[in-house]
Each structure stands twice: as C-alpha cells, then as structure tokens.
Amino acid sequence: MKKTFLLSIVLFLSGLSSFAQWEWQNPLPQGNQLNPVFFTDANTGYTVGNYGTIIKTDDGGITWTILSSGTTEDLNSVFFTDASTGFVVGSNGNIMKTNDGGTTWSVFPTGTTIHLYSVYFTDANTGYAVGGDGSSYFVTIMKTTDAGTTWTASDFVVGGYLRSVFFADANTGYAVGSYGFGFGLILKTTDGGSTWDSIPNTASELTSVYFTDANTGYASGVVLGADNSHGFVIKTSDGGATWSDMTFIATHWLNSVFFTDASTGYAVGNGIFKTTDGGTTWVDLSNGTYGGSSVFFTDDNIGYIVGGYGTILKTANAGTDWDMKGLSCTYQPLNSVFFPETNVGYAVGENETIVKTIDGGINWYNVHSGTDNILNSVYFTDANTGYTVGFGIILKTIDGGTTWTTLSVGTWEELYSVFFINANTGFTVGSNGTILKTIDGGTSWVTLSSSTTNWLLSVYFSDDSTGYAVGTNGTILNTIDGGTSWTNLLNDSSLYFNSVFFTDNLTGYVAGFEWSIGGLIMKTTNGGITWTNDSIFPDDALSSIYFTDANTGYAVGNGIYKTTDGGTNWTLQTNGSSYPLSSVYFSDTNTGYAVGYFGTILKTTNGGTAGINETRQTNNVTNNLKTYPNPATEKLTIEFSESGRNLNGSISIYGISGQELIREQVQGSKVGLNVTSLPKGLYFIRLINKGNTEFGKFIKE
C-alpha cells in the first residue's frame, strides 16, 4: 500500500492556538484521537475528536487547520446542514453549533450529562442526537426542531446505549448500539422520532448504521471476547424489519460503515474493508494498516478515514491506495527529552525509539539506536556526546546521535535515569536500588551501595559532590561525597517519586504522587534535611519537574503545571493533548518541550504564558489504574488504586504501535482480562469511565 507523507501542513491554530500555551510538534497537525469525519463538499471537511479537538480542511485534505472548540470534552460526532452551519456532540451531553464554518462554536444546553455519540439532521432545523451512559445503561435520544436552539429528550426508555443514528428520510430513522454486555440494539422510528421501536436482531455491539435507500441498510459492530474480538456487518433489505446474521470480516473492532452507491461500501476499524456486491463479500484493503474510527467518501473515488493518534488517511482511487495526511516521527511512548543546544534536541522512549530535531522541533526524525530495549532517560554533556539508559543497557553517542554504542554496564537491572556532572563523571539509577557511576565518560561503570531495594527513578546532582536519587516507597537518597555513600532522607510507602530537581545546593523539589490523593510536589530549602508537602494535584500523577530559575518551574503528568513563585502556587496550562506526559525540559527561559504517551511532543515558546484566561478540566485524564500481576502471563486484573471507586465504561488494550487489541464493557470494582493470546511486550490500558479517561500499562510475559 502506498503511503505518502505530507511535507507541508498548515499549523495555523485557529482560535485555540492564537493563545495556546503549548503547541503540537508530533504528531502533526495534532495527536488526539479523531472520532468522526464529515465533508460538506469536495474540498471542505471536518473531523472532531477527544479533548475538544476540531480540525478543518479547505483543500480536500491536503492541509488541516486546528479550530478552537472552547471545550475539553471528548467530541464524538459532527454533522453540517450547509456550508456554514454545523453541529458537534460529545461527552457529558455536550452539543455545539457553528454558523461560520467552524471559526466559532456556541454551546447549547441539553439538560443532560449523558454522553452523546452521534448526531444527524434531516433538514436545516430538525436534528437528532443519541447516546447513553454506562452507569445507568439507559439510552438517550434527543431531538431539535429549531436548528439546535432547544433539544427535547425522547420518552423512549430502554437499557443500553446508542452509538450511531441515521435517517433514510424525514420521518424514518434508525439508531444502533448495545443493550450492554454484548447484545445488539437496533431502534427504528417512522414518525420523526415521536416513537421508537426495538427491532430483534442477533448482532452484538453495534457501532455504525448507514442506509443506501429506504429499504437497504447496513450496520457494523463487534463481538467482544476475552481472548479475541471479531468485527462484522449486518444488512437489512426490508427497511429494518429483519437483519441478516453477522458477516465476520475483521479481527477486533469495526467502527464505521459508509456506502458510495447501492453496491459499493467501506467498513473501517482495525483495518479497511470494501464491498462491491452490496455486502455479500468484503475485501481487506488495509495491507497491515490500522483503519480508524470513521470513513467518509465525497464521491465514488475520494474518501477519508480518521482515527487514533490524529490519523488522517485519504484515497483518490476508491480505496486501492491510501495516503497519510499528516506527519509523525513516532507513535511510541516517549519517556525523556533533552536539548544540549537551543535548536538541537532528543527524545527517547519505548521500542528502541530515539528521535532528534535540529531546528527547534519543526521537524523530528528517527535515529537508529541499535537496540530493541525500552529507553527511559537521555542526557547530553555537549553537542555531540550523549547517553541514554534502559533495560540493563547504557548507550552512548559521540557524533550527535548518528551512531550509538552499547557500553559495558555489569547489571541487568532496569535503568530509569541518567545524569552527568561533567564530561566524564555521570550516574544512572534503576530498579532494586541500583546506582552506577562512571568517571571515564562511560567506558566503565561501578556499582555504588544505596542501602535500599526500592526502585530509583530519578537522579540529580546540585554540585560535584551533592546528589539526590528518588523513587518508589517515597525514597529520597542523598550523597555529599560524590556517590561514595548515600543517606536515606525519606522513606514513605504511601509516596511515589518520579523526578527530582534542585535550583541550588539547598533548594530542591521532588514530584510524583501519593496513592490516596494524587499528584504532589515536595520542596526542601535546607538541602533535603526536611521536606514540605507543598502542592497537591488531585487525579493526577506527576512524572517530571524542571525549573528554569529559582522561581519558575514546570511539572508534567496528565497536565502541565507552572509556578512563578518557587512552588507556592501552580497554574494548570492549556496544552491541547489528552495523553499523559512523561518528561519536560526547557532549552531557555521561554522555550520548553514536553513528551509523553503515543509519541506526543509539545512545545512552548513563551514559557507557557497565554495572555487570555483559559480553563481546563483537571479530571479528564487520570493515572489511577492498578494492574496485577504485572508482568502478566494469562490473566490481568485491573482496578482503581483508590479504594471505593468502581470501573464503569469501556476498557481497551493497545499495543505499542497504537493498535487496539482488546475492548470490553466493564462494570464493578475490578475486571479480569484474558491476555494469553497477546505476544510478549509492553501494552497500554485506556478506560473511558463516566466521561473521564484512565490510563495504565502492563508487561505481558
């Protein structure tokens, strides 16, 4: 399959970016998941997604512009009634309207906080929005007859939720979804939504519905299972009275179905599939390419697919070839970022990933590391000489990352952090209290005694002799003799420290989380003798902290936070990303970078200052999932770290390439997943839980 990477992408961040504090650098134009795509004509199209994402094209998908939505709610569906007038629906009952082609959006009250997944208009004034809530399991059907100014909920009551709505004419419409726990739900109205009837069917979870004429329609879906899932399409030829049995055409999930004529249709999910005989047979066009969340064709030949991590695909030959309309140097999770020069920087992450920029992040490209290990930390001592560490490995470059040499380490422990105090003397720390030191630029390393078996996740030296290492169980270690001996300053099993940074010999900060309350930052002003619990960040878990001067600092986790008064107060900054961040670094006072899950790279050139008061919900993305055993071999148990909280929603398992491998509806205090069929490796967990997103990860052995 041909894949053409677009070299010219418009990054005019309309509205949102005119006052954005942080902007996307990878993927481009942005990396949040895109849920539906809709075109008003051959050139003008829109796609919306998670975290309030709305982007638009005016040139048939060649370039895309990020629009300001004014919300951080997940947006699930978009529909335009003419070139200027469009509607978007999303989580927590969110309905928005534009009258100027997406430049501005207005929020309309709906009277519900139920998640809305699909919107459809039969004319300029009459529209429908459908959804449901995993906690109550009652479907929601809403209707407007005044172009969205007011919305009225249907009296129809049935357990479940609806994912898609489609009208074959002004009065006849269909909505599909699930009763919950794997039983397909199909509803039909013949009186413009005044009444709805449930139609018997043998399908499982239904995700999308499309009719080619009054009688002929299709619905896509998935049969969920602990071991595997199968995507299918069902068909009706009698106006929905009866539906065929499931035609299995894909492994895992099918999200969307679209027909360009009576015979030719497409279904996408974990793949791209096409039929030319009205659904009797389907051909796999994906050639190993992940499909997406939604498919839309503007004519018989030109079509678009959008999906995870900001993916936008376009075909100009009826699906034979698909071009990637976007840029990404990687979708691998990035764990650490470092800039040895103003414009030259590196980020490292999972699956041997090393990416580099030489133009301040305008372009990033992959550097071959020579290893298949996870890389956790990167540090450069000058423009050419750098180190990165991971699972029992230390790599070194002396030519600015062009080549990397594996150094002799003498340990198989996982190494999480590396720090050099000069060109020759450096330290790295890791699992089981491991501390290694070199005095010859990495040629040889000696193991130092740390007097702890806790995992050490970050190391920092404030001068040649004085250093600190922090990690699990609230561990804070201190050395005043260049690492020869280490003193345990703090040990608290309720705490977890991911990062340490000192602004001078006496003043330092540690960032991490406390199991019962969320993220926290602790501060010392006496060289670590005492620590104050300065700042709490509920529903977050802080991964990295960095200061540009004595007063100005940044911390990242599920959000980006800034202080200008030495940590007394922290302000949540708008960053546009729905993904957790792992590392933050500033190359000068104003220019900073943050990296994280799914290849996310963000940049600010103004110290994160906005100039316009912006707000962002802090409870959209959290890191509160507890997984065990980890590593897992057969069964993985998932629950909240906080006692008393219940899982309630849909849970997905993703591979490191970003492909969704397992999805299930879950409810209760914990869930057990059979992961026997998964190959060995690192996997990520995403739980959509009452409008919030919970992340976790585990290793399959």
Side-chain angles (χ1 to χ4, degrees):
M1 174 174 294
K2 179 178 67 177
K3 292 184 183 178
T4 302
F5 285 85
L6 186 65
L7 298 179
S8 173
I9 291 184
V10 172
L11 289 181
F12 168 68
L13 306 185
S14 170
L16 174 66
S17 190
S18 63
F19 51 82
Q21 295 166 314
W22 294 78
E23 297 178 356
W24 283 94
Q25 289 203 308
N26 189 72
L28 291 177
Q30 65 86 49
N32 293 321
Q33 175 167 315
L34 299 173
N35 295 318
V37 58
F38 188 97
F39 273 71
T40 58
D41 57 43
N43 292 314
T44 309
Y46 302 81
T47 176
V48 306
N50 291 357
Y51 206 69
T53 300
I54 304 177
I55 62 177
K56 176 182 180 179
T57 181
D58 290 311
D59 53 15
I62 298 173
T63 60
W64 293 82
T65 301
I66 300 179
L67 305 179
S68 175
S69 68
T71 182
T72 56
E73 299 286 358
D74 287 350
L75 303 179
N76 300 317
S77 183
V78 57
F79 193 99
F80 273 71
T81 56
D82 58 43
S84 300
T85 309
F87 299 83
V88 169
V89 302
S91 58
N92 294 310
N94 194 46
I95 297 181
M96 302 189 303
K97 178 182 179 180
T98 181
N99 290 311
D100 53 17
T103 302
T104 59
W105 295 84
S106 301
V107 177
F108 285 87
T110 60
T112 183
T113 57
I114 302 300
H115 307 322
L116 300 174
Y117 295 108
S118 182
V119 60
Y120 193 98
F121 274 71
T122 56
D123 58 42
N125 293 311
T126 308
Y128 303 83
V130 302
D133 188 346
S135 61
S136 64
Y137 283 98
F138 285 113
V139 304
T140 296
I141 305 174
M142 307 197 75
K143 179 179 180 179
T144 180
T145 56
D146 54 13
T149 302
T150 59
W151 293 81
T152 303
S154 169
D155 292 331
F156 182 82
V157 177
V158 66
Y161 51 86
L162 297 171
R163 294 292 185 185
S164 180
V165 60
F166 188 99
F167 272 71
D169 58 42
N171 293 312
T172 308
Y174 302 83
V176 302
S178 172
Y179 283 107
F181 305 104
F183 296 97
L185 173 62
I186 302 176
L187 304 180
K188 179 180 180 179
T189 180
T190 56
D191 53 15
S194 296
T195 60
W196 294 81
D197 296 318
S198 179
I199 299 175
N201 65 92
T202 59
S204 186
E205 304 265 350
L206 293 168
T207 56
S208 178
V209 60
Y210 192 96
F211 271 70
T212 57
D213 58 41
N215 292 314
T216 309
Y218 302 82
S220 62
V222 65
V223 175
L224 297 172
D227 295 329
N228 51 54
S229 304
H230 298 283
F232 64 84
V233 175
I234 59 174
K235 178 179 179 179
T236 181
S237 300
D238 54 12
T242 60
W243 292 79
S244 66
D245 289 335
M246 295 177 285
T247 301
F248 294 104
I249 65 174
T251 57
H252 304 300
W253 198 265
L254 283 180
N255 298 311
S256 177
V257 61
F258 189 99
F259 273 71
T260 57
D261 59 39
S263 300
T264 307
Y266 301 82
V268 302
N270 268 24
I272 305 169
F273 305 89
K274 179 180 180 179
T275 182
T276 55
D277 55 13
T280 302
T281 59
W282 294 82
V283 177
D284 187 349
L285 303 178
S286 52
N287 193 25
T289 299
Y290 172 76
S293 304
S294 176
V295 57
F296 191 101
F297 274 71
T298 57
D299 60 31
D300 289 344
N301 292 307
I302 299 176
Y304 301 83
I305 294 172
V306 301
Y309 323 126
T311 298
I312 303 174
L313 304 175
K314 178 180 179 179
T315 181
N317 55 12
T320 301
D321 301 301
W322 294 87
D323 295 339
M324 183 81 75
K325 296 301 177 183
L327 288 174
S328 177
C329 61
T330 183
Y331 290 108
Q332 299 294 332
L334 297 173
N335 298 321
S336 178
V337 59
F338 191 97
F339 273 69
E341 298 180 285
T342 300
N343 291 316
V344 180
Y346 302 81
V348 303
E350 315 290 347
N351 198 29
E352 71 173 322
T353 300
I354 302 178
V355 295
K356 178 181 179 180
T357 180
I358 58 174
D359 53 17
I362 296 174
N363 296 285
W364 291 83
Y365 60 92
N366 279 284
V367 176
H368 183 60
S369 67
T371 178
D372 58 0
N373 282 337
I374 295 173
L375 300 175
N376 294 314
S377 179
V378 60
Y379 194 99
F380 273 70
T381 57
D382 59 43
N384 293 311
T385 308
Y387 303 81
T388 180
V389 301
F391 274 105
I393 192 170
I394 303 176
L395 303 178
K396 178 180 180 179
T397 181
I398 57 173
D399 54 13
T402 302
T403 58
W404 294 81
T405 302
T406 301
L407 304 179
S408 178
V409 182
T411 181
W412 288 104
E413 299 290 349
E414 182 171 5
L415 303 175
Y416 288 100
S417 179
V418 59
F419 187 98
F420 273 71
I421 59 178
N422 56 46
N424 292 312
T425 307
F427 299 82
T428 181
V429 300
S431 56
N432 295 309
T434 298
I435 303 178
L436 305 178
K437 179 180 180 180
T438 181
I439 58 173
D440 53 15
T443 301
S444 60
W445 296 81
V446 296
T447 301
L448 306 177
S449 176
S450 66
S451 301
T452 184
T453 57
N454 293 326
W455 288 25
L456 301 175
L457 305 177
S458 179
V459 59
Y460 190 97
F461 273 71
S462 57
D463 60 34
D464 289 352
S465 300
T466 309
Y468 301 83
V470 303
T472 60
N473 291 319
T475 300
I476 303 178
L477 303 180
N478 170 234
T479 180
I480 57 174
D481 54 15
T484 302
S485 60
W486 294 81
T487 302
N488 199 334
L489 302 178
L490 184 67
N491 197 324
D492 186 335
S493 61
S494 68
L495 305 178
Y496 194 105
F497 297 134
N498 289 311
S499 183
V500 56
F501 193 100
F502 271 71
T503 56
D504 57 43
N505 282 343
L506 296 177
T507 308
Y509 304 81
V510 294
F513 59 92
E514 202 274 339
W515 290 106
S516 63
I517 60 175
L520 85 161
I521 295 174
M522 297 180 68
K523 179 180 180 179
T524 181
T525 56
N526 55 17
I529 297 173
T530 59
W531 295 82
T532 58
N533 193 346
D534 270 12
S535 303
I536 302 296
F537 305 82
D539 295 325
D540 207 334
L542 301 180
S543 302
S544 178
I545 190 167
Y546 190 97
F547 274 73
T548 58
D549 58 42
N551 293 312
T552 308
Y554 301 81
V556 301
N558 299 320
I560 302 178
Y561 306 88
K562 179 179 180 179
T563 181
T564 56
D565 54 14
T568 302
N569 298 285
W570 293 83
T571 302
L572 179 64
Q573 299 193 307
T574 299
N575 69 70
S577 171
S578 62
Y579 302 127
L581 300 169
S582 304
S583 178
V584 60
Y585 188 95
F586 273 71
S587 58
D588 60 41
T589 301
N590 293 313
T591 308
Y593 303 82
V595 303
Y597 277 39
F598 306 124
T600 297
I601 304 177
L602 306 174
K603 179 181 180 180
T604 181
T605 56
N606 61 5
T609 302
I612 294 179
N613 185 24
E614 299 177 271
T615 60
R616 194 194 102 183
Q617 294 181 0
T618 59
N619 65 338
N620 278 78
V621 185
T622 60
N623 246 333
N624 293 329
L625 292 184
K626 181 180 180 182
T627 60
Y628 58 90
N630 194 357
T633 54
E634 297 179 354
K635 183 178 180 181
L636 178 73
T637 300
I638 303 169
E639 62 180 297
F640 278 112
S641 298
E642 258 180 81
S643 61
R645 292 187 66 188
N646 282 338
L647 303 168
N648 204 326
S650 65
I651 198 160
S652 299
I653 304 296
Y654 295 87
I656 59 176
S657 64
Q659 187 180 38
E660 185 181 55
L661 302 175
I662 297 174
R663 180 186 288 193
E664 289 193 12
Q665 294 297 127
V666 295
Q667 188 175 24
S669 60
K670 60 184 178 181
V671 62
L673 296 179
N674 188 334
V675 296
T676 306
S677 62
L678 296 178
K680 293 181 179 180
L682 179 70
Y683 295 88
F684 297 90
I685 305 164
R686 184 174 188 258
L687 170 69
I688 305 298
N689 187 64
K690 297 182 179 180
N692 297 330
T693 302
E694 320 281 348
F695 279 98
K697 59 183 177 179
F698 72 97
I699 295 173
K700 166 65 188 307
E701 284 191 345

